Amino acid sequence: MNAGTGRSIMRGGTGLAMAAAVCLLGSVVWAMASKQKAGTAEPAAQAKPAAAEKGWKLVAYYLHGNFRCATCLSIEAQSKEAVETDFAGEIKDGKVAFATLNYEQPDNAHLGEDYRLTTRSLVLSLRKDGKEVKWKNLPEVWTRVHNPPAFREYVNTEVKAMLREMI
């Protein structure tokens, strides 16, 4: 809330832009303050599936940078909860997976460009025989992060829509 007017300062796209700006600023501050050398942080996760992967699979990637604010962590936690709880059967069958990747790590640096990231994101990747055939960034996670039921409904709707595309 804006203390002077009592009006919310996070409206529509402005809220998304503001949240992204806060994360970007935090990333810059973290990078400037960090004494770690490149490659000494946590090992990079691999974004590429095993070559032997057969059939259809939907991977929900939470993509983050080195700096992780409270909102970013909440988006990750809510995304993971929605996917792993509401699609447990599909996960057990190998049709759905959830992964968290740091796109600022050298092995994952291509993800920022591949998915045209402007900030931390939840991206759904539809894969067939280990190759991505379609992907979708879910930007509304930023505007729904403080409304868990709406957040979960949004993620579930998008995952279900992507699952319907499996042939």
Side-chain angles (χ1 to χ4, degrees):
M1 296 292 270
N2 184 332
T5 65
R7 293 180 297 169
S8 174
I9 58 174
M10 294 189 65
R11 294 185 186 180
T14 306
L16 175 59
M18 186 177 292
V22 168
C23 281
L24 180 59
L25 178 60
S27 295
V28 170
V29 170
W30 182 88
M32 291 172 61
S34 176
K35 295 189 186 205
Q36 289 185 326
K37 295 179 182 173
T40 62
E42 65 190 36
Q46 296 300 316
K48 296 178 178 131
E53 189 175 293
K54 298 290 182 201
W56 288 96
K57 186 170 197 163
L58 177 65
V59 182
Y61 289 113
Y62 176 70
L63 303 169
H64 66 85
N66 292 329
F67 175 79
R68 305 186 72 195
C69 69
T71 302
C72 298
L73 293 169
S74 180
I75 290 171
E76 177 186 6
Q78 289 184 70
S79 298
K80 182 178 174 74
E81 174 74 16
V83 172
E84 291 185 349
T85 301
D86 299 339
F87 299 95
E90 291 85 349
I91 289 173
K92 184 178 177 186
D93 293 341
K95 298 291 184 192
V96 173
F98 181 86
T100 298
L101 299 172
N102 181 340
Y103 65 84
E104 290 184 348
Q105 292 294 318
D107 288 349
N108 299 327
H110 64 92
L111 295 172
E113 188 173 317
D114 293 351
Y115 295 125
R116 297 181 219 127
L117 300 178
T118 56
T119 190
R120 288 76 177 123
S121 297
L122 179 62
V123 174
L124 302 180
S125 173
L126 186 60
R127 311 180 74 79
K128 182 164 187 188
D129 299 330
K131 294 182 183 177
E132 185 171 78
V133 295
K134 182 178 182 177
W135 62 271
K136 183 174 185 181
N137 190 344
L138 304 184
E140 289 182 38
V141 295
W142 284 95
T143 58
R144 298 174 187 222
V145 65
H146 299 295
N147 182 346
F151 184 101
R152 192 169 189 144
E153 178 183 350
Y154 172 59
V155 171
N156 285 345
T157 297
E158 295 296 335
V159 169
K160 287 175 184 175
M162 202 69 110
L163 286 172
R164 283 193 295 271
E165 296 193 33
M166 291 182 177
I167 298 172

